[in-house]
Amino acid sequence: MFDNSLIRNISIIAHIDHGKSTLADRILELTNSVEARKMHAQYLDTMEIEQERGITIKAQPVKILYNAKDGKAYEINIIDTPGHVDFSYEVSRSLAACEGAILLVDATQGVEAQTVANAYLAIENNLEIVPVINKIDMPNANVEETQRELYDTLGIRPEETLLVSAKTGEGVPELMEEVVKRIPAPSGSPEDKLRALIFDANYDPYKGVVAHVRIFEGKLSTKDVIEMMSTKATHEVVEVGIFSPYMTPTNILSAGEVGYVAASMREAREARVGDTITLAVNPAKEPLPGYKEAKPVVYAGLYPTDPKDYEELRKGLERFKLNDAAFVFEPDNSSALGFGFRCGFLGLLHMEIVVERLEREYNLDVIATAPNVVYEVEMNNGETVRITDPAKMPKEGTYLRIREPYVDLSIMTPVDTMGAVMNFIQNEKRGEFVSTENAGKNRVTLNFKMPMSEMIFDFFDKIKAISHGYASMDYDFAEYRESKLVKIGILVNKEPVEALSTVVHESKAYKVAKALVESIAEKMPRQQFEIPIQATARGRIIARATVKAYRKDVLAKCYGGDVTRKMKLLKKQKEGKKRMRMLGNVSISKDVFLSILSIGKEDKN
Amino acid sequence: MLCTSHLKDEISIYIHVPFCSRKCIYCDFASTTHTELMKDYFENLEKEIDLYAGELRGKHVKTLYFGGGTPSHVPIKYIERIIEKLANYLFLNVEEATFEFNPEDVKHELVKGLFEIGINRASIGLQTSSDDILGVLGRPYTFDEFRKSYSILRESFENVNVDLMYSLPFEKVEDVEQDLKVIEELNPSHVSFYELEIHEEVPLYSMIKNGQVRLPSEDESEVMYDKIVEKMESMGYERYEISSWTKDKPCQHNLKYWENEEYMGFGLSAGSHLLHKRWVNTTEINDYILKVRKGERPTVYESNNSDFEEACETLFMGLRLSDGVDTEKMKKEFGENFEKAFSRIKKFCGEILECSPRLRLTKLGMKFSAMVLRELA
């Protein structure tokens, strides 16, 4: 068994593309931790999507042995963190499992908003930070400016920073020495009552749910009966082990170590990220701090492209949920789309990843409707309901107020684009300016409070365009605020179609309504007759567009012998049309309906 | 009284000649390439006329129309015999006698011969001036050949109609523009410009379904439509019916159909309208021959229209005309049945339908005529 003082638990904090996975690969190489033949580039990103997009979604821990210059062999656990803002809670739990973090910044791109946010998270968790400037081999590397930005944003002095090239390996051995020197060893005692933090979990077809844990105090062995402190549920441990880098059984894990626990758990929610594991006999008094239940903030409908795949989709979602406790779903059906599911996600990227994984790993053909945030509605009787589907927004007059989620948004952008960004967020996105901070020679950090719904459409692209590609941002849920929201209803041929309704701030009602009806009218194929598409708000029609009537028809010519035949043909068409009615009294295919429901989806990235 | 009896005495006659050298891929008319049946067919066509002696006798014929198929595909002697047969029962003081030609059949001798037996209006099917598209449609001539045939017709006939279609397979707006230039150059007295109709039973329908043939989109064909309307007007043609354009000679025979007057049709698939009664002949040539040979009328549909049906049909046909229908006249003739029929399309009054003094489609309404007309079915 290792001595506690020879353990280092670390994370690597970096923005997408700043070279985190490459650095991890170099470290694994340096320590001969992965056999060459098993090592495909970028070991830590094991999911296909992660490798394609170059981002980390599921944190993947790895344990390595490092022979330091002091002659001792150190056990270093690298706990990787998801690289996207939707997973900030997961990031915070991964960080909580460590004593230190490598803060990796790209010398060609400088400090990014999200990196700063995660660095603050690390500081809040009392982590020792080892700042590293990467890509120093690149011709456009600007080490000095990057050092200045680190000082401006995080107060890190230039002499503290290490310079590396993860690509060539330059500076990596020196970095490892500094990790051992600067980052403290874990402090808990193996003799105390067991407290282990679950910082991640995955589903294994043979072992069930596997919890990734950091043992803070005590010991954990095979056959122990453990208790989940948030739910009091107990399980018998079937297997414990370490990641070296693949799951390797060890029979025991003790204070300071990082590893995994399998205990015949069937569902992801039985091992919740942030929960504390203790022993059922002689349990710890207090759980580790910081547990939160992950709550979905964005909802969307998922429908099978082919209705007969509904069962397949349900099974796929159930299997998927085993792996992802943050994902929720419930059956939903719409008169136009048939049967599907209303699904909750941590954010827009989470949603996109779920849809993509369902298609790739579960072989399902899925169509997602446009996402929406969750509204809180205080009803006349004092009850508060959460509305996850705008179509189900209660009627005008039945509620006292509606609240919508706001985010704390910080945007780092070059000074010369500051005005444009401010203008966009304040005038077009209902954002409120909070503060500004220096972030390097020509950069500032702008802080806002903004309704989350404003991020759903036409946000990320616009910010990138306004800042000529230089802005980076970070956001986190802040609070629910009362807001003057209106439900926009859509009438197709004068009949309401609930599935098309949406909720917007009253200041935007006209603009959104107009865009919506025009888009619907454009996407609908021509009909047998002209169809008005109208948008209503507060019982009034506020926008209108028209779907054109067919012209191609069978009445171009009609002479003496044709009268009867044409009349019969038209009657037959009329009857056929009656059978096709789907949307109000207008026949419309499901494809078209879905394309209407996903309006704006293409604007998102 | 004199006026009414005179009207009742008048009738228009249609003769269907179903023979063609080949069948075009879009054609849903009753036609056949079995020319060996020609002799039998015409014998029975004469017989069919005999079967209606009672209805025909003593009536005056102002308009006569030989349609097809391709009337120009059969020897002129058959046409002469039919005219002689009709003359047995009817007073042929014909003002307009139309004969349909396909470009490949037009010969000096035939045209002269027809002129001599009293044909005074020719209708020729060009369909498109694009040789490529003609090839796709299976039309057996080129545009140059058509041009020659057209000049031959014009030597004998002042009143010539050119049939054109748009929204054809692989057609582009430029092709339609070229067609319009051709009209400008040829300057025929009458032009019929139809949007291609596609019926499920024709080969083109399955070719489109299989993806072998691409049709212009709804939007493209709308652009074609707009070009046609704009250019035809600027060339001085008057649009007197949805698909019919003329400088000064509307087709008198077709007007009878659209005004829902009385007419009788003989031959395969021909339709008749007489005394609120409507009937239509079989479209099967063997069926036709066998029935008539046995002395039976070869109809597959007969109906005594109710006043309401008659009112609907009168509107259905009348709204095709730019002048529409005379509301007061229809009220007098059909009373509440007119109101009932009118109520089906009342919702279009305004931008689409002009509702007084005459009831007629507006210029925009003409574009979306099907939307209105289908309500009357």
Side-chain angles (χ1 to χ4, degrees):
Chain A
M1 181 51 37
F2 265 92
D3 177 356
N4 251 1
S5 67
L6 295 180
I7 297 177
R8 297 289 182 276
N9 294 319
I10 65 165
S11 255
I12 306 175
I13 296 170
H15 192 73
I16 298 166
D17 281 343
H18 280 203
K20 178 168 65 173
S21 299
T22 314
L23 178 64
D25 286 348
R26 283 298 89 70
I27 294 172
L28 293 179
E29 252 176 31
L30 189 74
T31 56
N32 300 315
S33 296
V34 182
E35 294 164 51
R37 67 184 164 82
K38 276 189 176 170
M39 183 161 162
H40 43 164
Q42 307 200 333
Y43 168 76
L44 290 179
D45 293 344
T46 48
M47 280 200 309
E48 209 181 325
I49 305 177
E50 292 180 324
Q51 293 196 342
E52 248 169 53
R53 298 183 168 215
I55 53 170
T56 305
I57 297 154
K58 290 291 272 187
Q60 180 77 27
V62 59
K63 172 180 159 171
I64 57 174
L65 281 177
Y66 174 65
N67 294 306
K69 286 188 180 148
D70 62 8
K72 291 177 193 161
Y74 290 86
E75 170 188 328
I76 297 178
N77 292 299
I78 304 175
I79 296 171
D80 203 9
T81 53
H84 191 273
V85 54
D86 284 355
F87 306 99
S88 61
Y89 176 65
E90 277 81 352
V91 174
S92 82
R93 294 306 84 202
S94 292
L95 293 175
C98 303
E99 277 76 29
I102 295 172
L103 174 65
L104 190 67
V105 181
D106 184 336
T108 68
Q109 311 220 20
V111 178
E112 311 259 2
Q114 219 184 300
T115 320
V116 175
N118 285 344
Y120 275 124
L121 265 179
I123 293 163
E124 279 167 32
N125 281 287
N126 295 316
L127 265 58
E128 181 63 36
I129 305 267
V130 180
V132 175
I133 296 177
N134 189 20
K135 302 196 188 175
I136 55 166
D137 59 309
M138 302 285 279
N140 58 338
N142 192 341
V143 174
E144 244 172 70
E145 179 54 26
T146 308
Q147 284 176 327
R148 181 182 171 146
E149 287 174 3
L150 279 169
Y151 184 74
D152 277 353
T153 54
L154 295 161
I156 290 166
R157 291 192 310 275
E159 54 271 24
E160 290 176 63
T161 57
L162 301 171
L163 308 182
V164 308
S165 164
K167 202 169 89 190
T168 65
E170 186 188 345
V172 178
E174 292 79 0
L175 165 61
M176 292 309 290
E177 283 298 312
E178 290 302 313
V179 163
V180 169
K181 270 189 217 150
R182 292 193 202 176
I183 294 173
S187 60
S189 159
E191 309 312 323
D192 285 348
K193 291 174 182 176
L194 174 68
R195 288 206 297 175
L197 172 72
I198 302 177
F199 60 85
D200 195 12
N202 71 297
Y203 186 80
D204 181 290
Y206 305 106
K207 298 184 172 81
V209 176
V210 176
H212 301 187
V213 295
R214 153 73 197 272
I215 314 284
F216 276 85
E217 291 109 21
K219 284 192 292 273
L220 178 56
S221 313
T222 318
K223 303 228 168 96
D224 279 349
V225 176
I226 53 172
E227 180 188 298
M228 301 297 172
M229 294 189 79
S230 73
T231 59
K232 304 286 171 221
T234 58
H235 305 273
E236 189 186 315
V237 176
V238 176
E239 188 178 313
V240 296
I242 55 167
F243 299 96
S244 72
Y246 302 101
M247 285 196 277
T248 311
T250 56
N251 290 324
I252 188 162
L253 287 173
S254 40
E257 283 193 293
V258 170
Y260 66 87
V261 185
S264 305
M265 294 175 284
R266 309 304 289 282
E267 286 182 47
R269 58 189 165 83
E270 292 180 276
R272 299 177 192 217
V273 171
D275 202 355
T276 303
I277 296 177
T278 189
L279 292 176
V281 181
N282 197 15
K285 284 199 185 89
E286 293 284 325
L288 294 160
Y291 173 70
K292 272 199 300 191
E293 201 174 325
K295 247 191 192 168
V297 294
V298 167
Y299 275 75
L302 292 188
Y303 290 84
T305 306
D306 186 337
K308 71 178 192 316
D309 294 338
Y310 174 78
E311 264 308 300
E312 281 294 297
L313 178 57
R314 191 180 55 75
K315 283 185 196 152
L317 293 175
E318 273 166 7
R319 270 184 291 153
F320 187 82
K321 191 160 170 37
L322 295 176
N323 239 323
D324 189 340
F327 171 69
V328 298
F329 70 97
E330 57 186 43
D332 191 16
N333 76 74
S334 116
S335 54
L337 292 173
F339 292 96
F341 299 91
R342 189 105 200 128
C343 305
F345 308 92
L346 293 175
L348 297 170
L349 183 84
H350 185 216
M351 165 173 165
E352 207 179 309
I353 286 163
V354 170
V355 171
E356 221 167 304
R357 286 189 65 191
L358 284 170
E359 288 186 339
R360 284 189 197 204
E361 296 166 34
Y362 297 81
N363 246 334
L364 294 163
D365 211 351
V366 180
I367 298 168
T369 64
N372 60 271
V373 300
V374 179
Y375 297 97
E376 280 185 3
V377 181
E378 198 180 316
M379 305 299 292
N380 286 343
N381 63 9
E383 191 193 343
T384 297
V385 288
R386 275 165 61 87
I387 302 295
T388 58
D389 181 354
K392 304 209 165 82
M393 188 59 90
K395 279 208 178 75
E396 201 70 37
T398 62
Y399 57 85
L400 298 170
R401 51 188 70 85
I402 309 179
R403 287 182 288 267
E404 66 174 325
Y406 269 66
V407 292
D408 284 318
L409 169 71
S410 62
I411 297 176
M412 270 190 181
T413 195
V415 172
D416 58 351
T417 65
M418 181 176 153
V421 170
M422 296 266 279
N423 181 45
F424 174 65
I425 305 264
Q426 291 179 295
N427 296 337
E428 287 182 45
K429 291 290 176 184
R430 297 193 283 138
E432 285 168 22
F433 174 71
V434 176
S435 64
T436 174
E437 291 156 29
N438 280 341
K441 202 163 99 196
N442 291 312
R443 272 200 328 177
V444 284
T445 302
L446 303 169
N447 298 309
F448 301 92
K449 283 215 192 287
M450 192 180 85
M452 188 186 279
S453 64
E454 296 291 347
M455 293 178 72
I456 288 182
F457 299 122
D458 209 18
F459 185 72
F460 300 99
D461 277 355
K462 273 273 177 67
I463 288 283
K464 280 282 174 200
I466 290 170
S467 65
H468 312 298
Y470 288 111
S472 69
M473 72 185 92
D474 187 74
Y475 61 90
D476 200 4
F477 170 75
E479 66 210 340
Y480 269 90
R481 280 200 199 176
E482 184 174 348
S483 196
K484 287 188 172 161
L485 297 168
V486 287
K487 176 179 176 180
I488 295 183
I490 297 292
L491 305 177
V492 174
N493 206 24
K494 300 184 178 152
E495 290 195 23
V497 179
E498 281 302 330
L500 296 178
S501 44
T502 183
V503 173
V504 297
H505 190 259
E506 63 176 16
S507 65
K508 290 189 164 187
Y510 283 96
K511 204 176 143 197
V512 170
K514 186 166 174 284
L516 205 55
V517 293
E518 278 170 5
S519 172
I520 293 169
E522 193 194 300
K523 290 191 179 186
M524 292 232 323
R526 289 173 186 247
Q527 300 288 318
Q528 308 282 15
F529 42 91
E530 270 197 10
I531 293 174
I533 308 289
Q534 294 157 306
T536 60
R538 303 212 163 115
R540 285 192 310 124
I541 287 168
I542 61 169
R544 182 197 152 106
T546 307
V547 179
K548 280 191 184 170
Y550 270 134
R551 271 185 348 91
K552 274 186 195 281
D553 62 74
V554 291
L555 290 175
K557 43 171 103 172
C558 191
Y559 300 112
D562 301 326
V563 187
T564 308
R565 195 161 63 118
K566 301 260 161 163
M567 288 287 224
K568 272 189 188 168
L569 194 67
L570 292 174
K571 273 195 186 121
K572 211 172 103 188
Q573 281 183 357
K574 262 190 186 170
E575 276 153 24
K577 203 181 75 201
K578 269 179 208 153
R579 283 196 299 273
M580 263 182 72
R581 279 176 190 183
M582 292 170 83
L583 181 61
N585 56 1
V586 176
S587 60
I588 176 171
S589 74
K590 192 176 150 184
D591 287 356
V592 172
F593 199 90
L594 278 168
S595 84
I596 293 166
L597 281 180
S598 23
I599 288 168
K601 209 180 146 192
E602 59 268 22
D603 303 333
K604 197 182 61 206
N605 291 313
Chain B
M1 276 317 282
L2 188 77
C3 181
T4 329
S5 70
H6 173 73
L7 269 178
K8 290 244 162 167
D9 275 354
E10 213 180 283
I11 194 154
S12 288
I13 299 291
Y14 174 79
I15 304 293
H16 190 78
V17 181
F19 300 100
C20 282
S21 57
R22 59 205 273 193
K23 181 111 180 164
C24 303
I25 59 167
Y26 59 85
C27 175
D28 78 318
F29 285 111
S31 69
T32 174
T33 51
H34 289 280
T35 43
E36 72 275 9
L37 294 172
M38 213 179 269
K39 190 166 163 284
D40 257 355
Y41 179 77
F42 280 100
E43 271 173 27
N44 286 287
L45 186 52
E46 285 182 53
K47 253 190 168 168
E48 190 199 354
I49 295 169
D50 288 333
L51 294 174
Y52 290 90
E55 283 89 344
L56 293 171
R57 191 162 281 133
K59 288 208 159 74
H60 293 258
V61 178
K62 288 267 175 66
T63 75
L64 174 62
Y65 198 105
F66 289 90
T70 322
S72 60
H73 196 61
V74 304
I76 191 167
K77 62 174 184 199
Y78 291 121
I79 307 300
E80 283 177 273
R81 292 230 298 265
I82 295 296
I83 293 175
E84 278 163 26
K85 173 60 76 178
L86 291 170
N88 285 344
Y89 303 108
L90 297 155
F91 297 108
L92 296 181
N93 35 14
V94 175
E95 286 168 9
E96 181 194 273
T98 306
F99 197 84
E100 285 183 352
F101 292 83
N102 264 353
E104 68 271 24
D105 299 323
V106 177
K107 302 282 174 322
H108 277 104
E109 205 184 334
L110 172 72
V111 175
K112 265 193 195 148
L114 288 165
F115 179 74
E116 278 160 17
I117 63 172
I119 298 296
N120 60 11
R121 183 174 183 269
S123 176
I124 181 165
L126 167 59
Q127 316 312 359
T128 170
S129 61
S130 155
D131 287 343
D132 290 342
I133 300 172
L134 286 172
V136 173
L137 297 178
R139 307 277 299 174
Y141 54 87
T142 62
F143 175 65
D144 276 343
E145 286 160 356
F146 163 84
R147 196 197 290 268
K148 281 180 200 122
S149 301
Y150 177 79
S151 341
I152 295 172
L153 288 178
R154 284 296 294 265
E155 286 168 20
S156 297
F157 303 112
E158 207 185 312
N159 193 356
V160 175
N161 166 59
V162 175
D163 264 353
L164 280 162
M165 293 196 290
Y166 69 97
S167 206
L168 294 168
F170 306 110
E171 194 171 41
K172 293 193 277 309
V173 175
E174 298 87 82
D175 295 316
V176 174
E177 285 170 336
Q178 182 55 35
D179 289 347
L180 288 162
K181 272 188 199 141
V182 165
I183 292 297
E184 190 162 34
E185 181 208 319
L186 301 178
N187 193 28
S189 60
H190 193 284
V191 177
S192 304
F193 227 132
Y194 306 108
E195 177 161 3
L196 173 69
E197 296 180 15
I198 296 161
H199 299 270
E200 283 183 30
E201 58 275 18
V202 304
L204 179 58
Y205 182 83
S206 43
M207 291 163 85
I208 292 163
K209 282 217 135 178
N210 300 339
Q212 291 163 271
V213 163
R214 194 190 66 82
L215 283 185
S217 68
E218 275 274 355
D219 290 344
E220 285 169 310
S221 84
E222 186 172 351
V223 173
M224 293 174 185
Y225 173 94
D226 290 339
K227 285 259 177 294
I228 292 165
V229 172
E230 183 197 349
K231 186 74 199 281
M232 290 299 282
E233 273 174 5
S234 77
M235 290 191 290
Y237 283 93
E238 187 203 341
R239 184 191 201 181
Y240 69 100
E241 188 258 355
I242 289 171
S243 305
S244 307
W245 301 80
T246 188
K247 289 216 159 152
D248 56 353
K249 294 183 176 67
C251 177
Q252 297 304 315
H253 184 83
N254 289 340
L255 278 172
K256 300 289 178 198
Y257 294 142
W258 297 321
E259 285 163 358
N260 214 18
E261 295 290 348
E262 300 194 322
Y263 50 85
M264 283 177 74
F266 298 97
L268 214 55
S269 78
S272 304
H273 180 229
L274 193 68
L275 299 167
H276 281 207
K277 205 175 155 189
R278 228 176 241 298
W279 67 91
V280 183
N281 283 350
T282 174
T283 54
E284 288 296 321
I285 189 159
N286 288 308
D287 187 31
Y288 176 82
I289 292 171
L290 290 174
K291 273 195 172 142
V292 178
R293 196 177 275 163
K294 278 193 279 181
E296 285 172 33
R297 291 184 176 186
T299 57
V300 284
Y301 172 86
E302 283 175 55
S303 156
N304 275 306
N305 272 355
S306 67
D307 281 353
F308 174 62
E309 286 168 316
E310 196 69 14
C312 283
E313 288 186 3
T314 305
L315 272 182
F316 182 78
M317 294 305 269
L319 286 176
R320 300 185 66 85
L321 295 167
S322 304
D323 281 345
V325 299
D326 184 331
T327 325
E328 291 309 314
K329 195 179 148 208
M330 278 203 71
K331 270 184 196 162
K332 258 183 218 151
E333 196 177 344
F334 297 104
E336 61 176 17
N337 283 309
F338 165 74
E339 299 296 344
K340 213 171 125 195
F342 176 52
S343 72
R344 289 187 172 191
I345 54 169
K346 214 169 196 162
K347 62 184 171 197
F348 296 111
C349 286
E351 272 178 75
I352 299 286
L353 198 61
E354 190 183 300
C355 294
S356 87
R358 292 181 73 89
L359 187 56
R360 61 179 188 181
L361 290 169
T362 62
K363 192 173 173 186
L364 180 71
M366 279 279 183
K367 191 166 176 175
F368 297 103
S369 55
M371 174 173 85
V372 181
L373 297 182
R374 73 179 62 250
E375 295 295 320
L376 295 163

